[in-house]
Amino acid sequence: MHSCTTKETIKPAIAKDDVIEQKVEALLSKMTLEEKIGQMTQLVIDVLRVPGTWNQEFQMSEAMMDSVFGKYKVGSILNAPGTLAQTPQKWQEIITQIQEKSIKEIGIPCLYGLDQNHGTTYTMGGILFPQPLNLGATFNRSLVLESGSITAYETKAGSVPWTFCPTVDLGRDARWPRMYENYGEDAYLNAEMGREAVLGFQGENPNNIGKEKIAVCIKHYMGYGAPVSGKDRTPAIISKQELREKHFAPFLETIRAGALSIMVNSASINGMPVHADYDLLTVWLKEDLNWDGVIVTDWADINNLYTREKIAANKKEAIKLAINAGIDMAMEPYNWDFCIYLKELVQEGEVKMSRIDDATRRILRMKYRLGLFETPVYNTEDFPLFGSETHALAALKTAEESMVLLKNEGNILPLAEGKKILVTGPNANSMRTLNGGWSYTWQGKGADIYAADYNTILEAFTAKFGSKNVVYEPGVTYNDEGQYWEENTPEIAKAVAAARGVDVIFACIGENSYCETPGNLTDLTLSKNQLELVKELSKTGKPIVLILNGGRPRIINSIEPLAKAVVNIMLPGNLGGDALANLISGEVNFSGKLPFSYPKAVNSLGSYDYKPSEQTGTMEGVYNYNAELSFQWGFGFGLSYTEFEYSNLAVNKSSFTANDELIFTVDVTNKGNRAGKESVLLFSSDLIASLTPDVRRLRAFEKVEVQPGETKTITLKLKGSDLAFVGYDGKWVLEQGDFRIQTGNQVVAINCTETKKWVTPNI
Ligand code: BGC
C-alpha cells in the first residue's frame, strides 16, 4: 500500500509558513532531550489537583505543578477537572495558572485540550448543540460549519485552544455506544460534515488560528466504528480496500481542510492495534499526504498495548512500538513514567533522535499555529456572545433540521389545535436524555441540574400546547443513579389510566445518557418495560406517536405497528424539546433524513452500501431500495409535511473519464401546501466491477428549501474519479463500464470510457 512517490514530490497537506518553521527550528535547536519528551507528554488536569479535594472546586497543587512543568516539562494537559464543566471564568483562571507556570519553567506555552463534542461539553453556560449524528441527519453543511464556529468561540471564551473533535468514525454498527458521536454510517457524509466542522472550528487558515478559533483533533483514526463485537474499543476486521476507500475518506478530507491533529483508534484492525501501526500512522498520514500535524494517542492507549492488546511485554516496549509507529503525543494521562522510559529508549538507541525531533517539531508547530506564544490566555469579557440568544437560536434551528419523521399515518402530525395529549415515557421530562453523553460531564449525568433552564419535551409541549391540554405520566423512569440502562419499577397502569382522557399519546422512549465503554449493551432491543408501556397504551385505542430519543437505533419492530407516527429525535441537545414542539405543532416542517440504516432485527444489522449478494432482488425498481431489506427504515429516509416530486434528472455528459466533471441537474417540486426543505441525495451504482461493487453509494447531496407549488433545479457535481473504488490490490481504480445514478425516483445511465489506476489520493 506504500506509495512509490517520495515525500518531497508530494505537495504538503498544509502549506508551510516559513516564519513559523524558522521559529520551530530555532526553538528545537535549544531544547534538551527531556524538554522534547516533555512536549510529547499529555496529562489529565486532575493530576494537578490538590490531593484529597475531589469533591471540591478545582484547586491547583503547587507541588504537582512543580513536578509536571518544572521537572518533567509536560507540554499538554487535557480534560475538565473531574470531567465536570467549568465556567469560562474558571477556565480562564485555570489556563492562566498553567500558562504562567509552563512559560516560566519551559519557555513554551501549554497545549490544553477538551472534548467539546457537541457544543461546549465542558464549558458551563455555553451552548450545547445536537450531537454529531443529528448534524448528519440535517444533511446541511452550513449548520455544521456554524456549530463548529460557535463552539470554537465559546471554547476560546475560556482560553482553551484545542478540541478533540470532530469525530468522523463511520458508525457502522448500531450496537456501538459511540454511534451518535459521528455523522452516521457513510464515508462521504462523514467526509463532508467533517470538513465543514474543521472549517468552522479552525477557520480557513490552519497556520493562523485566530482569537475566535480553535484547533481540531480528528478522531478516532480509524475503523473504530466497526467493532466485530459491537462493543467499544474492541477489534475490527476490515479489508484493506474498505479501510482506504471508506474509513480513510473523512480523515483525508479533513486533512485537506487543514486539520491540525488526529487522535488514534483505541482498538485494533486485523489484529494490529492502530497505535502500533507504522503503515497507518506514518505512511498513510505523514508520508503519503505530507501532513505535518500532530498524532495524539487516545486515553492511556500506549499502556493498553501491553495491558490489553498484549503486543508488548511491558510499558517501555509499548512506548517504543507506539513512538516508532508515529505517535507524537501520549495521552498518558496519569503518569509521567512515559518521560522516563522514552528517555531511556532514546539513550539505548531504540527510538531515534530524529523521531523525537519530528514529534516535537509537530507539537511546537501546532502551538505556533495557534498563536499560543503571543496570546496564551484570553479575556472572557472579550467574548460577549458566549451562551447568547443568537447562539442558542442556531442550536434550535439545527435541532429542528435534525429530527426525522419516520412515519405519519393519516397525517396525524402536525397535531391539530386543541387536542389533549398524554406525554409519557422515561425520556419525556429529561434534559439528560435530550443531550446524551459528553454533556457537562463525561456520561452526561447531571444535565437536569446544569441545564435546568432549558425545556424538556414535557416542558416544551406544555408551553406550546397549554397546560390544560397536556397530561404527564411517565409509566417508566430511569434510575438516574445507576447504570444508564437501569430503570425503576414501572408504573404502566398509571400511564394507561392517564391516557383514557386524551386524544393522542406521545410516548417518549429510548435510552438514558452514556458514552464510550459504559454504554455497551448486550441486546439492541428497546427495554422490556418501555415496549410493555407502548403495548399497554395501544390497548386504549388512542393514537400513539413514538418519540425516539437515544444515541443509537434500538429495535422497536414489535411496537412500530402500534404507532400512527414515529419521530426519531436522536440526541438533539438543550434546544431539542423546543425544536420538537415546533415540529409537532407544524410551525416548522420536518427535513431530517436518517444518516444510518435503522435495523429491524438484532440479528440483521447492516449498512446501505451492502453488496448485491447480501440482498438479491431488491434493486429491480428504482425506489424500492429498502423495501425487502430487514431495515426498519433505510439510510436517507425521512418524511416531510409536504410532498416533493423529482423530475428531469439530466447529466452534462453520458460518457466520461476520470478527469471529467459530471454535472447532474434534477427538478424538485413542492407538491404540497407547506414550504419545506428537502435533502437531495445522489447515489451511484457501479453495475459491473472487477471487485463486487456496493449496491449504492452516496456521492453528492444538497439541501434546498422549496415553496408550495415551486420547482427548483438542483445541481450536483462529481468528478469522474469520484466513482472509483479501491481494488483487491489496494489501488484506486476507475473502471470502464456502466454506472447508474439515482436521486429520488429518477435514474440516469452514464458510461465510463477509460480504466485508470492510482495509488494515493492527490492532495
Ligand atoms: C475517548 C476520546 C476522548 C478522550 C479524551 C477517550 O476515552 O475515547 O474520544 O477524546 O477520552 O477525553
Side-chain angles (χ1 to χ4, degrees), residues 78-79 115 164 178 181 219-220 224 233 263 266 298-299 331 438 442 516:
L78 87 151
N79 227 351
D115 292 277
F164 301 128
R178 308 195 76 169
E181 291 188 48
K219 66 190 190 187
H220 307 79
Y224 189 32
R233 291 176 155 75
M263 189 187 294
S266 289
D298 200 347
W299 192 268
M331 188 188 289
W438 299 113
W442 181 44
E516 299 189 46

Side-chain angles (χ1 to χ4, degrees), residues 379-687:
N379 197 343
T380 303
E381 282 157 23
D382 293 337
F383 295 80
L385 289 177
F386 176 85
S388 62
E389 277 297 309
T390 321
H391 289 180
L393 193 62
L396 175 69
K397 295 282 161 230
T398 310
E400 288 169 351
E401 287 205 24
S402 76
M403 296 184 174
V404 188
L405 180 62
L406 293 169
K407 183 178 182 182
N408 192 17
E409 253 176 42
N411 291 330
I412 184 170
L413 299 178
L415 190 69
E417 247 176 73
K419 293 274 184 209
K420 284 210 174 332
I421 62 175
L422 169 67
V423 178
T424 183
N427 296 51
N429 196 22
S430 163
M431 289 313 301
R432 179 175 166 186
T433 65
L434 285 178
N435 280 301
W438 299 113
S439 308
Y440 306 104
T441 61
W442 181 44
Q443 293 294 314
K445 282 188 188 176
D448 284 293
I449 301 164
Y450 307 122
D453 290 346
Y454 291 94
N455 287 329
T456 63
I457 295 174
L458 172 66
E459 289 161 349
F461 277 30
T462 307
K464 181 72 66 186
F465 304 116
S467 50
K468 66 177 191 326
N469 290 322
V470 179
V471 179
Y472 172 58
E473 193 57 67
V476 177
T477 50
Y478 298 116
N479 171 9
D480 266 332
E481 300 314 312
Q483 307 279 353
Y484 82 92
W485 42 264
E486 283 179 36
E487 292 170 354
N488 300 313
T489 309
E491 296 182 311
I492 293 174
K494 279 192 179 173
V496 172
R500 300 232 159 82
V502 306
D503 303 310
V504 183
I505 299 168
F506 284 84
C508 306
I509 55 179
E511 303 180 311
N512 207 352
S513 77
Y514 55 80
C515 76
E516 299 189 46
T517 314
N520 280 344
L521 51 61
T522 47
D523 187 349
L524 192 59
T525 313
L526 188 72
S527 84
K528 211 164 137 262
N529 288 336
Q530 297 190 49
L531 293 176
E532 196 58 25
L533 171 69
V534 175
K535 285 177 189 165
E536 288 303 312
L537 286 167
S538 77
K539 292 180 187 161
T540 64
K542 307 282 170 150
I544 297 179
V545 179
L546 297 181
I547 305 295
L548 310 178
N549 170 209
R552 61 195 146 189
R554 302 297 293 257
I555 304 296
I556 53 162
N557 63 36
S558 65
I559 56 168
E560 180 275 328
L562 308 177
K564 287 267 180 256
V566 182
V567 180
N568 192 358
I569 67 170
M570 296 166 280
L571 298 171
N574 275 340
L575 279 306
D578 298 310
L580 183 63
N582 291 346
L583 289 160
I584 297 295
S585 71
E587 270 164 59
V588 178
N589 200 344
F590 279 97
S591 68
K593 292 189 174 189
L594 284 183
F596 56 87
S597 308
Y598 201 118
K600 196 166 192 171
V602 286
N603 291 338
S604 197
L605 308 180
S607 46
Y608 83 99
D609 49 349
Y610 55 89
K611 302 293 181 192
S613 58
E614 290 183 69
Q615 186 66 37
T616 48
T618 56
M619 292 302 290
E620 300 299 320
V622 287
Y623 204 52
N624 62 348
Y625 48 78
N626 53 35
E628 292 177 50
L629 291 170
S630 56
F631 294 135
Q632 190 84 55
W633 294 284
F635 173 86
F637 183 74
L639 302 169
S640 160
Y641 289 148
T642 189
E643 209 185 307
F644 296 103
E645 190 180 85
Y646 286 57
S647 59
N648 301 326
L649 175 61
V651 59
N652 63 334
K653 43 182 76 176
S654 55
S655 60
F656 67 98
T657 57
N659 285 325
D660 281 340
E661 187 178 43
L662 292 164
I663 304 174
F664 298 90
T665 51
V666 66
D667 290 343
V668 176
T669 305
N670 184 341
K671 302 290 278 184
N673 52 14
R674 272 171 194 275
K677 287 187 180 169
E678 170 72 347
S679 294
V680 178
L681 312 185
L682 188 93
F683 294 92
S684 73
S685 303
D686 188 347
L687 299 190

Side-chain angles (χ1 to χ4, degrees), residues 38-84:
Q39 288 300 303
M40 295 169 67
T41 312
Q42 185 183 57
L43 297 179
V44 65
I45 176 93
D46 290 308
V47 167
L48 298 172
R49 183 188 277 276
V50 173
T53 60
W54 269 98
N55 295 322
Q56 296 164 28
E57 192 189 347
F58 179 79
Q59 286 171 55
M60 203 72 84
S61 150
E62 284 303 326
M64 293 310 281
M65 292 269 277
D66 284 342
S67 293
V68 167
F69 299 107
K71 181 152 187 227
Y72 290 102
K73 318 280 179 202
V74 168
S76 179
I77 303 288
L78 87 151
N79 227 351
T83 81
L84 175 63

